[in-house]
Amino acid sequence: MAERSFKREVEHLRMGAGETFTGEGILAITKALLENGVGYVGGYQGAPISHLMDVLADAEDLMGELGVRFEANASEAAAAAMLAASVHYPIRGAVTFKGSVGVNVASDALANLASSGVNGGALVIVGEDYGEGSSIMQERSHAFAMKSQFWLLDPRPNLPSIVKAVGDGFELSEASNTPVMLMVRIRSCHVTGSFDCRDNRRPPLTVREALSDPQRDFNRVVLPPMSYRHEQDKIDNRWPAAEKFIRDKGLNEVFGPGEARIGIVCQGGMYNGVIRALQRLGLADIHGDSAVPIYCLNVTYPIVRDEFEAFARGKDGLLVVEEGQPEFIEQGLSTVLLRAGLKVRLHGKDMLPMAGEYTGQVMLDGITAFLKEHAPGLLPGQVRAPNDPAPEIPDLSQTVPTRPPGFCTGCPERPIFAAMKLVEEELGKHQITGDIGCHLFASLPPFEIGGSTMGYGLGPASNAAFDGGGERRAISFLGDGGFWHNGLSSSIGNMVFNQSDSVAVIVDNYYSAATGGQDVLSSRAENPTKTTQQPIAEALRGVGVKWVRQIDHTYDVGRMRDTIREALTTDVTGPKVIVASSECMLNRQRREKPLRNTAIREGARVEVPRFGVDADICTGDHACIRLSGCPSLSLKRLDDPLRDDPIAHIDQSCVGCGNCGEVADAAVLCPSFYRADVVHNPKGIERWWQALSTRIIGWLQARRSARRLEFAEGAR
């Protein structure tokens, strides 16, 4: 079950010439693929393009009608390898994944693809996950494009430009026999706009039709001596062809006056920020008309040397707006200026930050500094000079607490780490590694379990140095998505082959939950187009793991604790793997809550479990919070002068998973947790019984209050 369904929006992909498409960037990309006769599409989900994979999955029927093959690949490497279909056949193919980690995973296949070259257009749509909204290490895909000589598109973040870039990317790939990367940033993926549609095109040659006439060309095989010729072909033929296509088709854009002493060179994805900064300085209008010339690089690699020279000639100063580091574009432009003998002062990272996201204020400050030095007459009088002291910004960390990411309310992974914490209190601290996925949140308070992650599916492999044995066994955590992505071979297979005596816990929440709830092989759901319900435990035994324990209800903290303890203390040698399975609560709520609300509105009797804390029993120790950390567990102060400390309290966000009570029981804490079933639309007998119970309880409470009053008066 994906995080979001696009079934309704996908119908808009059927629009044709004369119609206007309105929607998000990811839908526009899909529409552009269909308009440009793509023959096959694949990829792997990951922010910020997870939704693009969801759109493609929901549009599978439409693509089938057009003869387009769609594959939800097992990994980014599998997706990149799929582009091999464009090496020998004149078929356009596209794959999508998260950059730069997706590019890293796919690097072997991509390097071979770039070496052999392509006949059909090959497009890699990379979701550039950089900046404050990122969930990964901060790197850029640009380095890989330079290393393997992919051409890199970075279109302006509006729908017409993004749609045009898809078509330009295919044509550029075919004109230069080189695969092309199309970089879409977070804002490009989710920007909303409109563009004029064209008719969807059936590919001239489908992958199904290609099977009837197999093609082979030894010149495309990456083996000596052909691999040496590939390198020469890149330099002698492909690169010049790419430059000519970019120049002739005007893929890069120039805005503003034709004659000026200054100019700005920016990545296409940075164009909106540049224009906004110029607007704030009164140097551009809402339509993008600028008083400062702008050379917008919708193709950031390769640099078209003569095109840039023409823009730079006659100028005294240029500012390069290039987000991220190293400053690849700035270095390349410096070389062009030096070789051309142009005496133009080139600025970039000396006026803009070397690293970090270029927010609106960052862009404004950098452009202001540039204009202050080279065109002070353009600046309005009230603009702060670069050396003037900045206005004092209050330190909000003194009043607003930090809010690190954490598990959702009711998350089935929370009890796993509560159990692990209880085991560590008993057996001592262990060497623990994590993996990519929600379970990595366990490294943060209140659990503080695990401290490293080396890549998707590599949790157990990153503990390999400790697999030789010691006073305590090492432990690693791995998600079901990571297990099927890379973990089965690179981590579990590695443990079996090297006779590891460590423990691995596979967190199975029925989906690739961290990337949006997409199905994987072990998902329990029925999927009409994919194979599911393949148990992880069987795959483990299939590669030689002898000690396997399956737990189908992770909320049983006692059982989780006992199983982890057994794995750490058993005399059995070899890998020990625990498969801890419970459905992702977020996806479960997305599925069940609308159905429950509908049933309640229609008058059906519905029971909803809720948990609470008995204020009279709670000791105020708060160990339950330290061992659970559930967002619905908070503190509450009592109106009781004899109880100064706040007690535990469960708020309205509780989903009734019962983890707090299970933790309290397993940790032998106070029995203050209780469960109450809230009945919606109760029957007549239930209403009568509730009224009777209320009267009896009220009478007992009144009697107790009266006795307390008598006791107090007697004491006086």
Side-chain angles (χ1 to χ4, degrees), residues 399-419:
T399 54
V400 180
T402 57
R403 187 176 180 269
F407 297 111
C408 300
T409 301
C411 176
E413 301 187 18
R414 192 183 303 279
I416 298 172
F417 296 103

Side-chain angles (χ1 to χ4, degrees), residues 305-457:
R305 288 158 289 188
D306 54 355
E307 191 176 82
F308 170 65
E309 283 181 30
F311 179 77
R313 201 170 297 278
K315 293 183 172 59
D316 298 324
L318 291 172
L319 175 67
V320 182
V321 180
E322 176 184 8
E323 187 177 56
Q325 49 77 36
E327 65 273 49
F328 299 117
I329 298 173
E330 187 178 340
Q331 292 175 17
L333 296 180
S334 297
T335 301
V336 173
L337 292 177
L338 182 65
R339 289 178 177 171
L342 295 177
K343 299 185 183 300
V344 182
R345 289 194 61 190
L346 190 69
H347 300 277
K349 297 300 185 182
D350 57 336
M351 293 183 171
L352 288 158
M354 175 63 81
E357 186 173 354
Y358 281 4
T359 62
Q361 189 61 47
V362 167
M363 205 87 79
L364 178 63
D365 290 344
I367 292 176
T368 299
F370 171 69
L371 294 176
K372 177 75 174 176
E373 181 162 341
H374 287 280
L378 292 178
L379 288 172
Q382 69 273 20
V383 173
R384 178 173 60 84
N387 296 327
D388 291 347
E392 185 175 351
I393 299 175
D395 184 4
L396 296 180
S397 66
Q398 302 301 314
T399 54
V400 180
T402 57
R403 187 176 180 269
F407 297 111
C408 300
T409 301
C411 176
E413 301 187 18
R414 192 183 303 279
I416 298 172
F417 296 103
M420 185 68 244
K421 198 164 185 178
L422 291 173
V423 171
E424 283 205 310
E425 287 180 358
E426 178 184 344
L427 301 181
K429 200 170 182 179
H430 287 67
Q431 162 61 30
I432 302 176
T433 59
D435 204 297
I436 303 299
C438 298
H439 54 274
L440 193 56
F441 297 147
S443 62
L444 303 171
F447 302 111
E448 299 178 272
I449 292 174
S452 66
T453 175
M454 291 292 107
Y456 204 23

Side-chain angles (χ1 to χ4, degrees), residues 533-561:
Q533 303 183 44
Q534 303 297 311
I536 291 174
E538 288 188 15
L540 292 168
R541 296 186 182 98
V543 296
V545 181
K546 302 294 191 296
W547 196 100
V548 180
R549 299 291 184 271
Q550 174 73 49
I551 297 177
D552 277 328
H553 185 65
T554 61
Y555 298 102
D556 188 342
V557 177
R559 187 183 175 198
M560 280 298 320
R561 175 201 57 201

Side-chain angles (χ1 to χ4, degrees), residues 79-382:
M82 187 181 182
L83 288 172
S86 292
V87 172
H88 297 297
Y89 299 91
I91 305 175
R92 289 182 170 181
V95 297
T96 180
F97 41 73
K98 176 192 187 92
S100 58
V101 290
V103 174
N104 293 339
V105 171
S107 58
D108 196 17
L110 290 174
N112 278 277
L113 182 71
S115 181
S116 65
V118 295
N119 281 323
L123 193 64
V124 182
I125 302 168
V126 177
E128 192 74 348
D129 195 12
Y130 183 86
E132 293 179 3
S134 173
S135 61
I136 59 166
M137 80 292 287
Q138 295 297 273
E139 290 187 352
R140 297 171 61 191
S141 303
H142 196 110
F144 195 94
M146 295 171 63
K147 177 188 79 69
S148 294
Q149 291 181 18
F150 275 70
W151 312 139
L152 181 60
L153 306 187
D154 185 3
R156 289 190 291 135
N158 62 71
L159 262 55
S161 295
I162 295 169
V163 169
K164 181 177 182 296
V166 172
D168 290 341
F170 279 129
E171 292 180 13
L172 174 60
S173 176
E174 291 162 344
S176 61
N177 301 115
T178 302
V180 170
M181 281 187 181
L182 172 61
M183 191 171 86
V184 284
R185 303 160 190 266
I186 294 174
R187 291 175 180 83
S188 296
C189 289
H190 301 299
V191 67
T192 300
S194 60
F195 65 93
D196 295 331
C197 294
R198 293 182 296 151
D199 291 334
N200 295 332
R201 285 172 46 199
R202 184 179 179 85
L205 176 67
T206 68
V207 289
R208 184 180 293 271
E209 292 165 348
L211 289 173
S212 62
D213 184 20
Q215 301 294 313
R216 297 185 184 91
D217 183 359
F218 177 70
N219 291 320
R220 298 285 186 186
V221 179
V222 187
L223 281 174
M226 303 316 301
S227 53
Y228 309 135
R229 295 183 185 176
H230 292 166
E231 183 181 27
Q232 295 302 317
D233 188 40
K234 287 180 180 180
I235 303 304
D236 297 338
N237 300 309
R238 300 187 208 170
W239 197 323
E243 286 190 327
K244 183 178 186 303
F245 182 89
I246 295 165
R247 186 190 312 109
D248 292 349
K249 296 293 184 178
L251 301 193
N252 296 322
E253 299 172 283
V254 177
F255 302 93
E259 298 292 333
R261 305 302 299 177
I262 60 170
I264 296 175
V265 181
C266 70
Q267 297 164 297
M270 294 288 99
Y271 172 80
N272 286 5
V274 170
I275 283 294
R276 178 58 181 149
L278 292 173
Q279 285 178 5
R280 293 174 68 183
L281 293 170
L283 299 176
D285 61 21
I286 59 173
H287 303 291
D289 292 329
S290 170
V292 178
I294 300 172
Y295 179 40
C296 181
L297 296 175
N298 293 315
V299 183
T300 53
Y301 186 79
I303 293 170
V304 182
R305 288 158 289 188
D306 54 355
E307 191 176 82
F308 170 65
E309 283 181 30
F311 179 77
R313 201 170 297 278
K315 293 183 172 59
D316 298 324
L318 291 172
L319 175 67
V320 182
V321 180
E322 176 184 8
E323 187 177 56
Q325 49 77 36
E327 65 273 49
F328 299 117
I329 298 173
E330 187 178 340
Q331 292 175 17
L333 296 180
S334 297
T335 301
V336 173
L337 292 177
L338 182 65
R339 289 178 177 171
L342 295 177
K343 299 185 183 300
V344 182
R345 289 194 61 190
L346 190 69
H347 300 277
K349 297 300 185 182
D350 57 336
M351 293 183 171
L352 288 158
M354 175 63 81
E357 186 173 354
Y358 281 4
T359 62
Q361 189 61 47
V362 167
M363 205 87 79
L364 178 63
D365 290 344
I367 292 176
T368 299
F370 171 69
L371 294 176
K372 177 75 174 176
E373 181 162 341
H374 287 280
L378 292 178
L379 288 172
Q382 69 273 20

Side-chain angles (χ1 to χ4, degrees), residues 49-62:
I49 53 81
S50 288
H51 286 346
L52 180 52
M53 286 300 295
D54 297 336
V55 169
L56 292 169
D58 286 341
E60 197 163 357
D61 289 344
L62 171 58

